[in-house]
Amino acid sequence: MHAALGNLEVIHTICSYIQLGSLPAFASTCRAFERLALDILWRDLQSPEPLIKCLPSDLFGTDRGRMVLQKPLDGMMWDTLCKYTSRVHSIIATQSRRFEAIVEPLGSLMLSFPSTPASLFPNLRKLSWSANGTRGATEFLRMALVPSLLVLDVQISSTSSVFLSVLSSVGALCPHLRDMALRIRPATDEFFRKISPFVTPPISQLHHLHSLSVWDPGNQGIEHIMQLRALRSLCLDLRTFSASERKSRLELPGFHDLKILGLSTDTFERALNFLSSLRVIESKEIKIDYGVAHSSSSGSTTLSQFFTILRERCDTDRLEDFTLLGNSGKIRAEPGVFMPLRACRNLTQLSVERGCDISISDEELCQLVRDWPKLDVLKISCYNPVGNTTMPTLHGLIELLRLCPILTSLALVIDATKLDGIDLKTPGGGICNKYLKHLVFGNSPVETPLKVALILSGIFPNLEQVNLDCADAMQTKWTNIKQWALVNSFLDGFGIVRKRCTKV
C-alpha cells in the first residue's frame, strides 16, 4: 500500500468525498480505511433505524403487524452494536410511521443492555427529538440522555407519566448540556401547566448551560433559570402565560451577562409585564418576535409603554442590538415610540423589519439616530402605505450618513421624488459612506431613476445595487419596481466607468 494511505488525514479527506451509501464498502476494502470510514458513516444518524439494520434479521419478528423483539442479544451482538453506537455523535428522532415501527422493539432491546445506559452512546453530543412519548420511544430517549450530551432539542407532544419522568431527570443525566431547546405541540395553557413542574426544576441543575429556548415557565421557573450563571442566550415563548398572574408577583432579580434575550409574544402586554417583573436586564441583544392580536391604536400605546419600561430595566450601556419582528397584523407607530432607545448610546443595530408602519420625517429620523454614532445596521420597515405615511427624503438620508458614518446595512422607505436642492455633482456635499453594502428602499416612490442613481453613487461610492427584495411588498402591487430596476441599471453602468477610470 502506498505510504500516503497510511496517513490518517489523507484517509479522512478521501472519506469526506465518498457518499454515505458507499462508505460500508470502502470500510471493508482495507483495515486501514475501516475506522475512519465507520466514524463518518455513524457520526450523524438521521434516524435510529440503522441501529436495527446492523443486527441479525432473525432477532425481530412481527406480532399483529408490529415489529417485536423475539430473543435477547448475545455478547457478540452487543459488541457489534456498541462498535457502531460508540461512534454516534448526533441523532435525529422524528415522528413518522417508520419511526413508530422500529422504536418499540429498539426500546425493548436497549432495556436489556448489560452495561450502564450511558455506555451505549458514550460519545453522543447532540439529540433532536420530535417524536411521541410512547413507551418504546421513551425507553430509547432514556438511553440517549447521556453525560456526554451537549445539545438537546426536544418537541414535547405527549404527557405520559413515564415520558415526563424521563424529562425530569435531564439535569442529572446530562450535567454538561450547553444548548437546550424545549417546545410544546399543541401549545395550550393546560399542556404548559401540566408539563412545567417536570421540566423547569431540572433546568437549574444545568450549570454549564449557555443557550436555552423554552416556553414561559412562570415566576418560579424564571427564578430557576436565573440561577444559571453560565447562561448567555435565553429565548422565551410568552404566548401561553397569564399576564395577570405575573402582575401579582414581586419583582425578580433579573438577568445578568446575557448576550441574547429573545421574547415571542402575541401581545405587547405580555412582554411589558415580563419586563416589569424584572429589576434589571443585562443583555447585548434583545429580539422581540410578535404577532399583533389587538387594534392598531392600542398596540401603539402598549408599544410605547414597552420601550419606556425597557429603558428603565435594561442596562443601556450594554445593549448593542435591538430587533422588533412582526409576524401578523400592523401597528401604526410614531417615531416618538422609539425615543427611549436613544439612551442606548452603544447601539450598533436597530431592526424593525415587519408589522410596524412608521411615519417619520427627515427631522424625526435624524433626532432618533443622533445619539448612535456606532450604528452599523438600521432597518425601519421595508414597506409602508405611501398614501398616508410621512417618509424621509434623500435630504434626510444624507444627514443620516453624517450622524451614523459607519453604516453597512440600511433598510428604509423614503420619498425619492423630492430632489430639489441636491447637487448632482456632489450630492452629499463631501459626505459619503464607503462601507454600505446592503441597501433596501422597499416600496419607496421614485420618478427620475437617473438622478436618483447619480445621488446614490455619490453618497455610496461602493454600493453595487439597491436590493429589490421586499417580503412585505409582495402582498400588494409594487408599481415602482421597474423604476428601481432602472436605478440599478444606471448604478451598474457607473460602476463599470469607475473601474475603467481606476485602471487608467
Side-chain angles (χ1 to χ4, degrees), residues 87-161:
R87 292 176 153 87
V88 177
H89 283 211
S90 72
I91 299 175
I92 297 177
T94 303
Q95 185 64 35
S96 66
R97 289 185 178 181
R98 185 58 183 167
F99 178 83
E100 291 177 357
I102 65 171
V103 76
E104 293 296 331
L106 191 58
S108 301
L109 181 152
M110 290 184 169
L111 280 179
S112 64
F113 184 55
S115 186
T116 59
S119 61
L120 186 61
F121 294 106
N123 296 306
L124 189 63
R125 302 287 189 269
K126 180 179 180 180
L127 175 63
S128 297
W129 184 273
S130 58
N132 291 335
T134 60
R135 185 173 186 84
T138 302
E139 292 165 352
F140 179 83
L141 176 64
R142 171 61 184 85
M143 300 297 285
L145 294 178
V146 293
S148 61
L149 201 64
L150 300 178
V151 181
L152 178 62
D153 186 341
V154 177
Q155 178 171 299
I156 303 171
S157 57
S158 171
T159 57
S160 69
S161 58

Side-chain angles (χ1 to χ4, degrees), residues 489-500:
S489 179
F490 287 126
L491 288 175
D492 283 337
F494 297 159
I496 294 173
V497 173
R498 190 178 292 111
K499 290 179 181 178
R500 288 177 179 175

